[in-house]
Amino acid sequence: MYAGGRPNRLARWLNDVSAWQYRHGILTLGGRGVTLEVRGRASGRAVEFPLVLVRLGGQRYVVSMLGAEAQWVRNLRADEGRAVLRAPHPEPVRLVEVPVEQRAPILRRYLDLAPGARPHVSVDRRAPLAEFEKIAADYPVLRVESA
């Protein structure tokens, strides 16, 4: 559903439905389902999409299951990490990239929480942490900080 790192028509529709549900506090997966809003780097308009929020060690994180070339990651980088997290209430946030050497445990927890991401990540969710360390550079992990 994400050939070339972009959602096809079905994935866009499913993302829209999930984003609407999360934004309205419906079926939020126990607080894991959130909607992230970023500004398009070319259009300047707000773009919303659903993500899974990872809580670990007292911090909140989001992960790009499609890697660094995902459009939302590129938009976020162009806007210096500024975004709005809706869980379900809007919260202006800044997303800060986690250093590669710190990503492995977050990626493992992410795969536990986000079954839809598992086909996009090349490591099994039950793999040893060392396997996650090998792929950590391929998947941006961003810490959520209040703006």
Side-chain angles (χ1 to χ4, degrees):
M1 291 197 307
Y2 289 90
R6 291 180 159 263
N8 65 18
R9 185 174 291 164
L10 175 60
R12 279 193 306 273
W13 181 79
L14 291 171
N15 285 344
D16 288 346
V17 169
S18 294
W20 184 88
Q21 290 174 324
Y22 298 165
R23 185 173 54 252
H24 291 90
I26 303 167
L27 192 68
T28 60
L29 307 173
R32 296 185 314 259
V34 299
T35 301
L36 189 69
E37 179 183 302
V38 297
R39 188 170 41 163
R41 64 190 179 284
S43 69
R45 69 178 178 84
V47 180
E48 277 188 345
F49 49 92
L51 287 177
V52 170
L53 187 68
V54 177
R55 289 180 174 88
L56 188 65
Q59 299 288 326
R60 299 178 296 166
Y61 303 93
V62 292
V63 175
S64 173
M65 70 180 187
L66 299 177
E69 293 304 309
Q71 294 301 311
W72 73 267
V73 174
R74 296 175 69 195
N75 288 337
L76 186 73
R77 287 175 174 163
D79 202 20
E80 299 176 352
R82 288 186 289 265
V84 175
L85 185 69
R86 297 180 190 279
H89 304 290
E91 176 189 357
V93 296
R94 184 173 185 95
L95 300 181
V96 178
E97 290 200 44
V98 173
V100 172
E101 60 275 5
Q102 297 173 14
R103 294 179 185 177
I106 303 162
L107 288 169
R108 183 162 60 182
R109 179 71 177 139
Y110 173 67
L111 288 187
D112 283 341
L113 300 173
R118 293 175 193 160
H120 303 283
V121 178
S122 60
V123 172
D124 184 83
R125 69 186 174 99
R126 294 175 293 270
L129 206 52
E131 294 300 310
F132 285 92
E133 290 169 354
K134 292 176 186 176
I135 62 148
D138 299 333
Y139 299 95
V141 174
L142 302 116
R143 186 177 57 256
V144 177
E145 297 182 351
S146 295

